[in-house]
Amino acid sequence: MNFEFSAEQNEFAETVRRLARDHLAAGALKRAHDPRFPFDVAQLLARQGLMGITLPQSEGGQSGTLMDAVIAIEQIAAVCPRSADVVQFGNFGPIRTFAEYGTPPQKARWLGELLAGRMVMSLGMTEPDAGSALTDLKTSARADGADYVINGSKVFSTFSPDAQIFLVYVRYGPGLAGIGSIIVERGTPGFSIGPPSAFMSGEEWCELHFADCRVPAENLLLGPGGFKKQMAGFNVERLGNTARSLAYGRYAFNAARDYAATRRQFDRPLCEFQGLQWKFADMAVKLDSAQLLLYRAAVNADRGLPSAYETAVAKAACNQAGFEAASEAVQIMGALGYSCETLVEYCMRRTRGWMIAGGSIEMLKNRIAEHVFERRFDQRNRPQAGTE
Ligand SMILES: Cc1cc2nc3c(=O)[nH]c(=O)nc-3n(C[C@H](O)[C@H](O)[C@H](O)COP(=O)(O)OP(=O)(O)OC[C@H]3O[C@@H](n4cnc5c(N)ncnc54)[C@H](O)[C@@H]3O)c2cc1C
């Protein structure tokens, strides 16, 4: 076992950090407060080979590892947190599920544009009555001749104000086995996108409505029975949220450390007060331990899909560590930390969201408990096996 990066990983990290310093440091604050998807950053990262890191070169990717993609998020976020969203989009988000299961004609049509940073994709999964209980989703796709006809609605989809295509979870029939997914393009008749609403983080999302929306059968991504495959792909997205939680927590930690080393009160730098030293020690323990869990999940997945258990443990740890570090950093930096003049308050707001998004901490803990007890705990209000 080796806890050091390889020489290649160190070199890659340094290259990405240099790129971020040279091209993304200026404008980092402005970018964080702009809800629009930064297509300019996406195109820059695409030119530098930071989109599709884990995808085969034959598909326009870099044939790298999931750990490389995690390193890219860490290095970009350390300089410009908002730009790490682009690394997420290009490597971990719905694009990864799309690349995994899309047909050759689908990929020929959309993957190149997505990887070039000219187009962004949004994931339509959550519905008003299906959040954590995702398998309650009602949005239906009915086969009709050479088409599917979609009816239903989705909420909270990240990047939806800017997305040109949407990966939509749909129901072809009853039960878990009836769930799959389909690609819908903006502008398709019967598909309407509501006005933007904002999360606490400033990110925007739109309601998505499908009313007899007709899409060609070639847009089908996963047919009935595709839910498990979708979730396997979604574990990659979770790892991207995990990596960003940790990286944003570290950004705030580093900002607070630099501040505490120089800011003086009572004729001493803040770092000389033990009450603050112990905050930094606690933050370091939480961030370092969460980072090891993130690396375990990423390294064990390599080019495949990460394990559901290791992903759940890593996400729960990084979500908590990232938010707690960012929140403490705000406290340590006083009114300046609470002000929009620095990115520390932004990191706190963003890390708060990932405790809910992509599998809330509570749902992750349910998953971890199932691993511990080696049995499934049905969350629905019906008798558990063995208790009747
Ligand atoms: C920043 C952000 C980005 C998002 N991006 C997307 C996106 O791109 N696409 C998309 O489709 N959706 C997206 N979502 C929605 C996200 O997937 C849902 O918010 C999430 O699944 C939780 O659903 P809910 O908000 O309806 O909460 P609910 O499911 O109503 O849960 C409310 C609370 O109850 C808890 N809870 C629920 N069930 C249980 C249980 N069995 N045991 C213990 N606790 C439980 C939850 O943990 C939560 O704390 C995003 C959300 C956020 C915050």
Side-chain angles (χ1 to χ4, degrees):
M1 193 177 290
N2 187 351
F3 290 100
E4 299 297 323
F5 278 180
S6 67
E8 293 77 29
Q9 286 170 324
N10 273 324
E11 195 183 324
F12 177 63
E14 185 45 44
T15 306
V16 178
R17 177 75 75 115
R18 207 175 316 114
L19 166 84
R21 274 202 219 105
D22 292 349
H23 298 283
L24 300 173
L29 189 63
K30 184 164 174 286
R31 236 173 257 124
H33 294 285
D34 183 350
R36 294 279 67 77
F37 183 77
F39 284 103
D40 56 335
V41 174
Q43 285 159 28
L44 170 77
L45 298 191
R47 287 194 296 274
Q48 302 298 325
L50 296 177
M51 306 282 265
I53 291 171
T54 62
L55 302 188
Q57 281 174 331
S58 57
E59 295 196 347
Q62 308 298 324
S63 296
T65 65
L66 202 50
M67 190 59 211
D68 294 333
V70 166
I71 291 172
I73 280 207
E74 289 185 335
Q75 296 302 325
I76 297 281
V79 175
C80 177
R82 171 69 168 143
S83 294
D85 292 346
V86 176
V87 185
Q88 163 79 11
F89 157 69
N91 295 284
F92 296 86
I95 193 174
R96 187 64 169 73
T97 312
F98 176 67
E100 191 78 24
Y101 304 116
T103 63
Q106 287 171 350
K107 292 190 202 178
R109 185 151 174 214
W110 292 304
L111 194 54
E113 287 297 287
L114 292 165
L115 290 176
R118 286 191 290 269
M119 190 185 256
V120 67
M121 178 185 245
S122 180
L123 177 65
M125 182 176 70
T126 309
E127 298 184 0
D129 294 324
S132 301
L134 179 59
T135 52
D136 284 353
L137 68 88
K138 293 194 190 80
T139 298
S140 62
R142 174 176 52 83
D144 184 33
D147 299 329
Y148 279 93
V149 179
I150 308 173
N151 280 287
S153 52
K154 300 284 176 182
V155 284
F156 303 137
S157 295
T158 301
F159 302 143
S160 45
D162 295 306
Q164 287 89 343
I165 59 168
F166 295 77
L167 194 166
V168 183
Y169 282 31
V170 290
R171 175 170 293 296
Y172 302 100
L176 192 69
I179 299 175
S181 52
I182 201 156
I183 306 292
V184 185
E185 289 181 275
R186 180 183 283 266
T188 306
F191 175 31
S192 57
I193 301 176
S197 302
F199 286 125
M200 176 201 274
S201 57
E203 297 162 279
E204 292 182 346
W205 60 273
C206 306
E207 286 187 16
L208 312 178
H209 298 286
F210 304 92
D212 288 332
C213 170
R214 188 172 280 277
V215 298
E218 300 87 72
N219 284 20
L220 181 140
L221 184 68
L222 285 165
F227 186 71
K228 283 209 169 125
K229 284 185 176 171
Q230 262 160 211
M231 282 294 113
F234 191 62
N235 279 326
V236 180
E237 176 147 11
R238 282 188 169 150
L239 267 199
N241 290 349
T242 305
R244 280 183 300 165
S245 293
L246 189 80
Y248 280 49
R250 269 215 196 280
Y251 182 99
F253 173 90
N254 289 339
R257 183 200 53 204
D258 294 351
Y259 186 77
T262 53
R263 162 82 172 164
R264 296 179 73 86
Q265 288 293 283
F266 302 99
D267 297 326
R268 304 170 77 182
L270 293 181
C271 66
E272 290 186 5
F273 298 115
Q274 193 177 55
L276 297 189
Q277 290 170 5
W278 285 10
K279 282 187 191 293
F280 281 101
D282 287 342
M283 289 152 79
V285 169
K286 286 175 188 166
L287 291 171
D288 282 5
S289 48
Q291 186 161 31
L292 291 176
L293 292 170
L294 166 63
Y295 287 3
R296 178 180 75 169
V299 168
N300 285 349
D302 199 3
R303 279 176 214 174
L305 303 173
S307 115
Y309 170 70
E310 290 185 358
T311 303
V313 172
K315 184 172 185 290
C318 290
N319 284 166
Q320 283 171 172
F323 174 71
E324 286 167 13
S327 179
E328 283 290 52
V330 167
Q331 187 69 17
I332 290 162
M333 292 177 66
L336 184 63
Y338 192 61
S339 152
C340 297
E341 301 304 309
T342 81
L343 283 167
V344 172
E345 61 80 36
Y346 171 74
C347 290
M348 188 187 84
R349 288 184 285 116
R350 291 297 306 275
T351 50
R352 187 68 189 83
W354 290 313
M355 296 167 92
I356 298 168
S360 67
I361 296 226
E362 292 78 16
M363 293 306 289
L364 296 171
K365 287 183 179 172
N366 291 342
R367 178 72 191 74
I368 294 166
E370 290 188 332
H371 182 89
V372 170
F373 289 99
E374 295 179 346
R375 56 173 281 203
R376 190 166 179 277
F377 295 111
D378 194 338
Q379 302 298 309
R380 290 173 199 281
N381 190 15
R382 57 189 176 209
Q384 307 263 322
T387 61
E388 293 130 285

mmCIF file of all heavy atoms in Angstrom, residues 123-126 131-133 155-158 199 203 353 356-360 362-363 366 379, ligand 1:
data_model
loop_
_atom_site.group_PDB
_atom_site.id
_atom_site.type_symbol
_atom_site.label_atom_id
_atom_site.label_comp_id
_atom_site.label_asym_id
_atom_site.label_seq_id
_atom_site.Cartn_x
_atom_site.Cartn_y
_atom_site.Cartn_z
ATOM 1 N N LEU A 123 -29.265 16.431 -15.953
ATOM 2 C CA LEU A 123 -29.854 15.160 -15.529
ATOM 3 C C LEU A 123 -31.239 15.395 -14.941
ATOM 4 O O LEU A 123 -31.375 16.074 -13.913
ATOM 5 C CB LEU A 123 -28.941 14.511 -14.476
ATOM 6 C CG LEU A 123 -29.435 13.198 -13.864
ATOM 7 C CD1 LEU A 123 -29.496 12.105 -14.918
ATOM 8 C CD2 LEU A 123 -28.517 12.773 -12.725
ATOM 9 N N GLY A 124 -32.257 14.857 -15.563
ATOM 10 C CA GLY A 124 -33.636 14.983 -15.067
ATOM 11 C C GLY A 124 -34.034 13.700 -14.361
ATOM 12 O O GLY A 124 -34.485 12.746 -14.998
ATOM 13 N N MET A 125 -33.853 13.700 -13.064
ATOM 14 C CA MET A 125 -34.066 12.486 -12.272
ATOM 15 C C MET A 125 -35.159 12.752 -11.237
ATOM 16 O O MET A 125 -36.202 12.098 -11.208
ATOM 17 C CB MET A 125 -32.711 12.190 -11.614
ATOM 18 C CG MET A 125 -32.585 10.996 -10.787
ATOM 19 S SD MET A 125 -30.842 10.825 -10.246
ATOM 20 C CE MET A 125 -30.661 12.164 -9.099
ATOM 21 N N THR A 126 -34.935 13.776 -10.408
ATOM 22 C CA THR A 126 -35.836 14.077 -9.296
ATOM 23 C C THR A 126 -37.171 14.628 -9.796
ATOM 24 O O THR A 126 -37.211 15.387 -10.763
ATOM 25 C CB THR A 126 -35.170 15.121 -8.371
ATOM 26 O OG1 THR A 126 -33.857 14.660 -8.054
ATOM 27 C CG2 THR A 126 -35.962 15.332 -7.103
ATOM 28 N N GLY A 131 -38.071 12.181 -4.584
ATOM 29 C CA GLY A 131 -36.749 12.723 -4.271
ATOM 30 C C GLY A 131 -35.856 11.564 -3.855
ATOM 31 O O GLY A 131 -35.351 10.814 -4.697
ATOM 32 N N SER A 132 -35.712 11.379 -2.532
ATOM 33 C CA SER A 132 -34.926 10.228 -2.051
ATOM 34 C C SER A 132 -35.560 8.920 -2.522
ATOM 35 O O SER A 132 -34.857 7.962 -2.840
ATOM 36 C CB SER A 132 -34.863 10.250 -0.521
ATOM 37 O OG SER A 132 -34.282 11.453 -0.075
ATOM 38 N N ALA A 133 -36.891 8.904 -2.564
ATOM 39 C CA ALA A 133 -37.603 7.703 -3.058
ATOM 40 C C ALA A 133 -37.681 7.786 -4.574
ATOM 41 O O ALA A 133 -38.762 7.881 -5.174
ATOM 42 C CB ALA A 133 -38.988 7.642 -2.433
ATOM 43 N N VAL A 155 -37.695 18.224 -11.398
ATOM 44 C CA VAL A 155 -37.278 19.436 -10.667
ATOM 45 C C VAL A 155 -35.799 19.341 -10.274
ATOM 46 O O VAL A 155 -35.247 18.242 -10.209
ATOM 47 C CB VAL A 155 -38.126 19.649 -9.379
ATOM 48 C CG1 VAL A 155 -39.503 20.183 -9.713
ATOM 49 C CG2 VAL A 155 -38.223 18.364 -8.538
ATOM 50 N N PHE A 156 -35.223 20.497 -9.989
ATOM 51 C CA PHE A 156 -33.879 20.636 -9.403
ATOM 52 C C PHE A 156 -32.719 20.255 -10.319
ATOM 53 O O PHE A 156 -31.601 20.047 -9.840
ATOM 54 C CB PHE A 156 -33.744 19.812 -8.106
ATOM 55 C CG PHE A 156 -34.733 20.138 -7.036
ATOM 56 C CD1 PHE A 156 -35.371 19.135 -6.311
ATOM 57 C CD2 PHE A 156 -35.030 21.452 -6.730
ATOM 58 C CE1 PHE A 156 -36.285 19.428 -5.309
ATOM 59 C CE2 PHE A 156 -35.946 21.771 -5.730
ATOM 60 C CZ PHE A 156 -36.574 20.750 -5.018
ATOM 61 N N SER A 157 -32.931 20.124 -11.627
ATOM 62 C CA SER A 157 -31.849 19.648 -12.497
ATOM 63 C C SER A 157 -30.742 20.701 -12.655
ATOM 64 O O SER A 157 -30.983 21.792 -13.189
ATOM 65 C CB SER A 157 -32.404 19.287 -13.878
ATOM 66 O OG SER A 157 -33.281 18.197 -13.746
ATOM 67 N N THR A 158 -29.544 20.348 -12.230
ATOM 68 C CA THR A 158 -28.378 21.225 -12.361
ATOM 69 C C THR A 158 -28.101 21.494 -13.845
ATOM 70 O O THR A 158 -28.241 20.582 -14.663
ATOM 71 C CB THR A 158 -27.153 20.555 -11.709
ATOM 72 O OG1 THR A 158 -27.462 20.318 -10.345
ATOM 73 C CG2 THR A 158 -25.911 21.422 -11.792
ATOM 74 N N PHE A 199 -30.891 27.903 -6.101
ATOM 75 C CA PHE A 199 -30.501 27.246 -4.844
ATOM 76 C C PHE A 199 -29.802 28.276 -3.955
ATOM 77 O O PHE A 199 -29.376 29.342 -4.434
ATOM 78 C CB PHE A 199 -29.501 26.114 -5.114
ATOM 79 C CG PHE A 199 -30.086 24.866 -5.719
ATOM 80 C CD1 PHE A 199 -29.572 24.357 -6.903
ATOM 81 C CD2 PHE A 199 -31.105 24.170 -5.089
ATOM 82 C CE1 PHE A 199 -30.074 23.184 -7.457
ATOM 83 C CE2 PHE A 199 -31.613 22.998 -5.637
ATOM 84 C CZ PHE A 199 -31.106 22.507 -6.814
ATOM 85 N N GLU A 203 -26.661 28.637 -7.730
ATOM 86 C CA GLU A 203 -26.889 27.848 -8.957
ATOM 87 C C GLU A 203 -28.377 27.892 -9.290
ATOM 88 O O GLU A 203 -29.214 27.920 -8.387
ATOM 89 C CB GLU A 203 -26.537 26.385 -8.737
ATOM 90 C CG GLU A 203 -25.120 26.076 -8.425
ATOM 91 C CD GLU A 203 -25.053 24.688 -7.816
ATOM 92 O OE1 GLU A 203 -25.317 24.546 -6.603
ATOM 93 O OE2 GLU A 203 -24.776 23.746 -8.547
ATOM 94 N N GLY A 353 -25.013 22.135 -0.073
ATOM 95 C CA GLY A 353 -25.914 21.515 -1.053
ATOM 96 C C GLY A 353 -25.597 20.044 -1.307
ATOM 97 O O GLY A 353 -26.491 19.223 -1.508
ATOM 98 N N ILE A 356 -27.197 17.202 0.452
ATOM 99 C CA ILE A 356 -28.564 16.837 0.030
ATOM 100 C C ILE A 356 -28.537 16.192 -1.356
ATOM 101 O O ILE A 356 -29.204 15.186 -1.600
ATOM 102 C CB ILE A 356 -29.457 18.100 0.000
ATOM 103 C CG1 ILE A 356 -29.554 18.718 1.398
ATOM 104 C CG2 ILE A 356 -30.849 17.773 -0.554
ATOM 105 C CD1 ILE A 356 -30.154 20.110 1.431
ATOM 106 N N ALA A 357 -27.752 16.783 -2.255
ATOM 107 C CA ALA A 357 -27.774 16.353 -3.665
ATOM 108 C C ALA A 357 -27.118 14.996 -3.866
ATOM 109 O O ALA A 357 -26.193 14.630 -3.153
ATOM 110 C CB ALA A 357 -27.033 17.394 -4.517
ATOM 111 N N GLY A 358 -27.631 14.288 -4.865
ATOM 112 C CA GLY A 358 -26.963 13.058 -5.320
ATOM 113 C C GLY A 358 -26.872 11.977 -4.264
ATOM 114 O O GLY A 358 -25.880 11.246 -4.178
ATOM 115 N N GLY A 359 -27.919 11.846 -3.460
ATOM 116 C CA GLY A 359 -27.905 10.893 -2.339
ATOM 117 C C GLY A 359 -27.581 11.669 -1.075
ATOM 118 O O GLY A 359 -26.415 11.997 -0.817
ATOM 119 N N SER A 360 -28.639 12.010 -0.311
ATOM 120 C CA SER A 360 -28.426 12.794 0.917
ATOM 121 C C SER A 360 -27.590 11.982 1.907
ATOM 122 O O SER A 360 -27.492 10.749 1.797
ATOM 123 C CB SER A 360 -29.773 13.139 1.555
ATOM 124 O OG SER A 360 -30.384 11.948 2.020
ATOM 125 N N GLU A 362 -28.298 11.137 4.798
ATOM 126 C CA GLU A 362 -29.123 10.118 5.466
ATOM 127 C C GLU A 362 -29.285 8.886 4.565
ATOM 128 O O GLU A 362 -29.182 7.747 5.038
ATOM 129 C CB GLU A 362 -30.509 10.683 5.817
ATOM 130 C CG GLU A 362 -30.504 11.756 6.899
ATOM 131 C CD GLU A 362 -30.063 13.129 6.377
ATOM 132 O OE1 GLU A 362 -30.046 13.334 5.145
ATOM 133 O OE2 GLU A 362 -29.715 13.994 7.202
ATOM 134 N N MET A 363 -29.531 9.115 3.279
ATOM 135 C CA MET A 363 -29.708 7.966 2.378
ATOM 136 C C MET A 363 -28.397 7.193 2.225
ATOM 137 O O MET A 363 -28.400 5.965 2.118
ATOM 138 C CB MET A 363 -30.216 8.440 1.006
ATOM 139 C CG MET A 363 -31.629 9.007 1.039
ATOM 140 S SD MET A 363 -32.841 7.887 1.784
ATOM 141 C CE MET A 363 -32.962 6.611 0.541
ATOM 142 N N ASN A 366 -28.103 5.015 5.186
ATOM 143 C CA ASN A 366 -28.961 3.828 5.038
ATOM 144 C C ASN A 366 -28.217 2.760 4.239
ATOM 145 O O ASN A 366 -28.241 1.573 4.564
ATOM 146 C CB ASN A 366 -30.260 4.182 4.298
ATOM 147 C CG ASN A 366 -31.179 5.065 5.115
ATOM 148 O OD1 ASN A 366 -31.038 5.165 6.337
ATOM 149 N ND2 ASN A 366 -32.129 5.714 4.459
ATOM 150 N N GLN A 379 -37.125 0.903 3.010
ATOM 151 C CA GLN A 379 -37.495 2.185 3.635
ATOM 152 C C GLN A 379 -39.000 2.433 3.584
ATOM 153 O O GLN A 379 -39.497 3.373 4.179
ATOM 154 C CB GLN A 379 -36.777 3.339 2.921
ATOM 155 C CG GLN A 379 -35.263 3.215 2.914
ATOM 156 C CD GLN A 379 -34.671 3.234 4.319
ATOM 157 O OE1 GLN A 379 -34.977 4.119 5.115
ATOM 158 N NE2 GLN A 379 -33.842 2.242 4.643
HETATM 159 C C1 LIG B 1 -27.467 21.362 -5.196
HETATM 160 C C2 LIG B 1 -28.406 20.334 -5.709
HETATM 161 C C3 LIG B 1 -28.283 19.866 -7.020
HETATM 162 C C4 LIG B 1 -29.167 18.922 -7.511
HETATM 163 N N1 LIG B 1 -29.046 18.513 -8.812
HETATM 164 C C5 LIG B 1 -29.944 17.637 -9.323
HETATM 165 C C6 LIG B 1 -29.867 17.236 -10.703
HETATM 166 O O1 LIG B 1 -28.987 17.652 -11.450
HETATM 167 N N2 LIG B 1 -30.826 16.399 -11.179
HETATM 168 C C7 LIG B 1 -31.823 15.911 -10.398
HETATM 169 O O2 LIG B 1 -32.639 15.152 -10.909
HETATM 170 N N3 LIG B 1 -31.921 16.263 -9.081
HETATM 171 C C8 LIG B 1 -31.010 17.120 -8.531
HETATM 172 N N4 LIG B 1 -31.090 17.492 -7.216
HETATM 173 C C9 LIG B 1 -32.168 16.944 -6.385
HETATM 174 C C10 LIG B 1 -31.646 15.876 -5.427
HETATM 175 O O3 LIG B 1 -31.373 14.690 -6.130
HETATM 176 C C11 LIG B 1 -32.714 15.684 -4.328
HETATM 177 O O4 LIG B 1 -32.749 16.901 -3.603
HETATM 178 C C12 LIG B 1 -32.392 14.529 -3.405
HETATM 179 O O5 LIG B 1 -32.569 13.294 -4.048
HETATM 180 C C13 LIG B 1 -33.303 14.550 -2.148
HETATM 181 O O6 LIG B 1 -34.636 14.648 -2.517
HETATM 182 P P1 LIG B 1 -35.581 15.785 -1.893
HETATM 183 O O7 LIG B 1 -34.875 17.085 -1.993
HETATM 184 O O8 LIG B 1 -36.907 15.661 -2.541
HETATM 185 O O9 LIG B 1 -35.670 15.443 -0.357
HETATM 186 P P2 LIG B 1 -36.622 14.299 0.347
HETATM 187 O O10 LIG B 1 -36.430 12.994 -0.346
HETATM 188 O O11 LIG B 1 -38.009 14.822 0.460
HETATM 189 O O12 LIG B 1 -35.951 14.210 1.767
HETATM 190 C C14 LIG B 1 -36.103 15.220 2.773
HETATM 191 C C15 LIG B 1 -35.221 14.851 3.964
HETATM 192 O O13 LIG B 1 -35.624 13.574 4.479
HETATM 193 C C16 LIG B 1 -34.523 12.688 4.469
HETATM 194 N N5 LIG B 1 -34.986 11.326 4.144
HETATM 195 C C17 LIG B 1 -35.801 10.950 3.118
HETATM 196 N N6 LIG B 1 -35.977 9.624 3.132
HETATM 197 C C18 LIG B 1 -35.260 9.127 4.163
HETATM 198 C C19 LIG B 1 -35.015 7.844 4.695
HETATM 199 N N7 LIG B 1 -35.547 6.739 4.149
HETATM 200 N N8 LIG B 1 -34.189 7.711 5.778
HETATM 201 C C20 LIG B 1 -33.639 8.807 6.363
HETATM 202 N N9 LIG B 1 -33.836 10.067 5.908
HETATM 203 C C21 LIG B 1 -34.624 10.223 4.826
HETATM 204 C C22 LIG B 1 -33.573 13.220 3.412
HETATM 205 O O14 LIG B 1 -32.239 12.797 3.638
HETATM 206 C C23 LIG B 1 -33.747 14.726 3.578
HETATM 207 O O15 LIG B 1 -32.932 15.175 4.642
HETATM 208 C C24 LIG B 1 -30.205 18.418 -6.689
HETATM 209 C C25 LIG B 1 -30.328 18.882 -5.368
HETATM 210 C C26 LIG B 1 -29.435 19.825 -4.872
HETATM 211 C C27 LIG B 1 -29.582 20.294 -3.458
#
